[in-house]
Amino acid sequence: MSEESEIRAFYNGKNLFITGGTGFVGLCLLERILRSIPDIGKIYLLMRPKKGKEISQRLEEFAKNPVFETLLETTSPEIFNKLIPVAGDVGEDNLGLSDQDRQTIIENVNVVIHSAATLDFEENLKPTVKINLLGTRRVMELCKQIKDLKVMIQVSSAFVNSYLTEAHEKLYEAPEDPEKVISLVGTLSDEALDEVEPKILKNHPNTYTFTKHLAEHEVAKCADLFPCTIVRPTMIVGSWKEPVPGWTSSKVGPQGFLMGASKGVVRRLPVAKSNIADYIPVDVVVNQLLVAGWHAAKSKSGLSIYHCSSSTQKPFAWTLLESSVNGMLHKFPLKGAVWYPHLKFLPSLLLFKISAIFVHFLPALLLDTMLRLTGGRPILWRMHKNVWKSLNRLDKFIFSEWRFHNPNTIELAKQLNSTDKETFYIDINTLYWEDYFRNLQRGVRRYLHNEKESNLQAARNKDSVLLVLHILWQALIILLLWYIVACALGLTMMQSAWAAPILYFLYSFL
């Protein structure tokens, strides 16, 4: 006879207040709660109108999201009645809440999960301070007023300490006085703020990690008042097991690489392939949020910190996939591919940029021209140009290696009973990366490209046609380069025949 779930028992009947519930992590979190804790109380979702839609309209669209397909196979759509939209914005004073909604939360909520943040690495300090730092402060001010708060759960990031090559599950000293930062943001012009930004950030690579670091200290200030827990995920990727293996709605990181590679438009990646890349599946992250909240609520106060990471427990490096990634792309190809998929890892930005001229920009020019002639919208040249511009900002994250130690998480996993270990799994020791990425490629195909299993054979047929065109294109490039060499040397093509194999050899390195 299986043991009763302690985690489910804790959350049963509890009312939750969640920020960031419409994002990648938030949607997976809601799915996990509704499917695994059906007796949860009300879930108040902080939402803002978007694209001309009121929050009630946005909530109605939830049931159509693929993340909930598994839930709706066994549950009535009435389960969504537990979701209560609340108009607001973490970037506004008092979270943009009406007096009535704020009082409802104060009177009824038992658990707060703060996930909302701006993740744009290229943002300057103004929006990141407004949302990541002040947004967290506003959430904590609300928590202080809630009458029966059992626990506050903060979604942070392991990269708040990315200025260290090894980080531990503890609160590190704040990089700057938050009041000083808030004052500067409130008084300086954008130009003046951009000028002093490097001095303010110090060793932080961008405003995101800097403001999320300061946000952790906003949580810590309240640890004597009620139990608080901070979960620091690393790079969050598609699901490992649930709701289905490979589910994702994010285009960031590996799933974005695979999305572009499947289409045939991303063919080279600058990667330190022997370095450990710390990826963590989204279903593990949401499980850990719920488990950490359950465990923290056993105390009346205090702060606990967990790394939700893989680098020291189940490390991944791209060398594990180098020989198999293209096989995955061709086993599960896209019917909508525009070029023959072939992904290659390059060890430096310089080599990537040289290669990109031949394998990204020239094909993009050809395909965009074809789109213009057929009345389509050319997008490939602009896409590769944007990637090119962002590379310098991402350099540190591409070629650096971190170790995020997670003994607290390992110990937390040991404290789960057999039922909770299976339902709210946070132990990744049985995760096999090659199997995981095979499922992720299928998930990218299904959820990011909206292609069904039923058109797989048609996609494979097209893949074969694209291979022939790819070979012809390569031959054309070599022929063009051969002609240029012959002209430069004042020789005929036959006289410079020796150049063809040399050019092919050199081209293979790009």
Side-chain angles (χ1 to χ4, degrees):
M1 188 173 180
S2 62
E3 299 176 89
E4 180 185 351
S5 168
E6 294 182 41
I7 295 170
R8 187 180 294 122
F10 166 70
Y11 286 103
N12 280 346
K14 300 287 193 307
N15 296 323
L16 277 60
F17 175 64
I18 298 178
T19 71
T22 59
F24 175 43
V25 173
L27 286 171
C28 195
L29 174 64
L30 292 175
E31 194 279 338
R32 163 59 76 201
I33 293 171
L34 294 176
R35 184 161 52 85
S36 299
I37 316 172
D39 293 327
I40 194 78
K42 295 178 180 178
I43 303 175
Y44 297 94
L45 294 177
L46 188 71
M47 299 173 67
R48 56 182 176 178
K50 192 175 182 181
K51 296 179 181 177
K53 294 180 181 178
E54 295 299 319
I55 57 173
S56 57
Q57 292 175 293
R58 292 186 66 193
L59 190 63
E60 288 172 5
E61 295 176 352
F62 271 38
K64 302 173 186 177
N65 194 299
V67 72
F68 297 111
E69 287 176 355
T70 301
L71 170 70
L72 292 174
E73 287 174 3
T74 57
T75 309
S76 164
E78 292 181 0
I79 190 76
F80 292 107
N81 292 340
K82 291 180 177 289
L83 305 181
I84 312 296
V86 178
D89 186 338
V90 295
E92 296 180 9
D93 289 341
N94 298 315
L95 301 175
L97 293 169
S98 68
D99 291 342
Q100 182 178 348
D101 285 340
R102 189 177 188 89
Q103 195 58 37
T104 298
I105 292 167
I106 290 170
E107 296 288 341
N108 295 285
V109 163
N110 311 111
V111 176
V112 171
I113 303 178
H114 178 39
S115 175
T118 176
L119 302 174
D120 190 342
F121 285 3
E122 297 189 20
E123 288 275 25
N124 64 24
L125 274 168
K126 281 196 175 180
T128 51
V129 166
K130 179 181 176 183
I131 296 172
N132 296 345
L133 173 54
L134 288 174
T136 302
R137 176 173 291 184
R138 293 166 185 138
V139 169
M140 300 313 295
E141 288 170 352
L142 176 62
C143 287
K144 291 177 187 177
Q145 297 177 342
I146 293 175
K147 294 183 177 180
D148 189 23
L149 183 64
K150 304 298 183 184
V151 65
M152 188 276 166
I153 305 164
Q154 163 81 350
V155 184
S156 186
S157 169
F159 293 102
V160 298
N161 301 307
S162 57
Y163 55 91
L164 302 169
T165 56
E166 296 197 34
H168 298 271
E169 294 163 306
K170 67 177 185 178
L171 186 67
Y172 287 86
E173 183 179 352
E176 186 55 89
D177 177 10
E179 304 309 324
K180 174 185 173 183
V181 176
I182 293 167
S183 175
L184 288 172
V185 166
T187 56
L188 294 182
S189 66
D190 287 342
E191 294 76 15
L193 194 59
D194 288 341
E195 189 175 328
V196 300
E197 185 177 289
K199 295 179 182 178
I200 298 171
L201 297 187
K202 299 183 178 72
N203 295 326
H204 274 273
N206 53 55
T207 61
Y208 168 74
T209 65
F210 177 78
T211 52
K212 289 291 283 184
H213 190 161
L214 292 177
E216 290 193 349
H217 286 266
E218 296 297 314
V219 176
K221 290 175 185 176
C222 298
D224 291 336
L225 304 176
F226 43 80
C228 301
T229 186
I230 296 173
V231 176
R232 294 175 180 158
T234 51
M235 170 64 75
I236 305 175
V237 290
S239 64
W240 172 24
K241 298 179 182 180
E242 297 182 11
V244 291
W247 173 81
T248 182
S249 65
S250 171
K251 299 175 184 178
V252 176
Q255 44 248 326
F257 303 160
L258 292 175
M259 185 182 182
S262 299
K263 200 79 172 175
V265 297
V266 173
R267 308 180 60 75
R268 299 294 184 269
L269 284 177
V271 169
K273 58 188 179 182
S274 296
N275 281 7
I276 292 172
D278 200 318
Y279 300 139
I280 195 73
V282 64
D283 48 335
V284 177
V285 175
V286 301
N287 286 341
Q288 187 149 345
L289 293 173
L290 296 170
V291 173
W294 157 77
H295 190 263
K298 293 181 177 182
S299 304
K300 295 296 183 184
S301 61
L303 175 67
S304 54
I305 299 176
Y306 301 95
H307 278 155
C308 192
S309 58
S310 61
S311 54
T312 59
Q313 187 177 2
K314 198 73 174 181
F316 168 81
W318 281 99
T319 49
L320 293 173
L321 289 187
E322 188 171 21
S323 63
S324 60
V325 65
N326 285 304
M328 295 176 190
L329 294 174
H330 297 300
K331 187 173 183 180
F332 306 106
L334 293 182
K335 191 177 179 183
V338 297
W339 206 269
Y340 182 72
H342 184 77
L343 192 60
K344 185 175 180 179
F345 305 137
L346 297 176
S348 73
L349 283 183
L350 176 61
L351 193 55
F352 171 80
K353 288 181 176 181
I354 295 171
S355 181
I357 294 170
F358 294 94
V359 299
H360 285 169
F361 285 101
L362 286 180
L365 184 62
L366 174 66
L367 291 170
D368 277 356
T369 301
M370 291 173 62
L371 284 169
R372 284 191 181 93
L373 293 174
T374 56
R377 186 167 64 95
I379 59 171
L380 297 179
W381 182 276
R382 187 173 70 252
M383 181 193 78
H384 288 303
K385 188 177 178 182
N386 289 338
V387 170
W388 187 288
K389 286 181 178 178
S390 67
L391 284 174
N392 290 334
R393 279 185 173 268
L394 296 174
D395 186 20
K396 179 178 177 64
F397 292 93
I398 294 171
F399 295 107
S400 297
E401 181 179 82
W402 289 275
R403 297 286 199 284
F404 296 112
H405 298 277
N406 65 338
N408 291 352
T409 292
I410 292 172
E411 180 58 33
L412 183 62
K414 291 177 182 177
Q415 296 188 35
L416 300 181
N417 65 28
S418 59
T419 298
D420 286 331
K421 283 180 179 178
E422 182 176 345
T423 305
F424 300 98
Y425 50 90
I426 60 174
D427 185 348
I428 61 170
N429 278 317
T430 58
L431 188 158
Y432 294 97
W433 286 112
E434 190 163 346
D435 291 343
Y436 169 81
F437 272 94
R438 188 176 294 106
N439 286 326
L440 183 61
Q441 167 59 17
R442 298 181 72 176
V444 166
R445 185 179 191 276
R446 168 68 179 87
Y447 301 108
L448 298 186
H449 285 294
N450 298 312
E451 294 207 4
K452 297 180 180 179
E453 289 286 318
S454 58
N455 76 358
L456 186 55
Q457 188 54 52
R460 287 172 177 163
N461 293 339
K462 182 175 182 179
D463 193 57
S464 299
V465 173
L466 289 174
L467 173 59
V468 175
L469 295 175
H470 171 65
I471 293 171
L472 291 174
W473 172 259
Q474 285 190 308
L476 182 63
I477 291 291
I478 298 299
L479 191 64
L480 177 62
L481 294 173
W482 180 8
Y483 176 75
I484 293 171
V485 170
C487 290
L489 296 176
L491 302 173
T492 66
M493 297 285 280
M494 289 302 295
Q495 288 173 328
S496 60
W498 50 267
I502 294 174
L503 288 168
Y504 179 79
F505 176 75
L506 294 174
Y507 186 74
S508 67
F509 285 96
L510 296 178

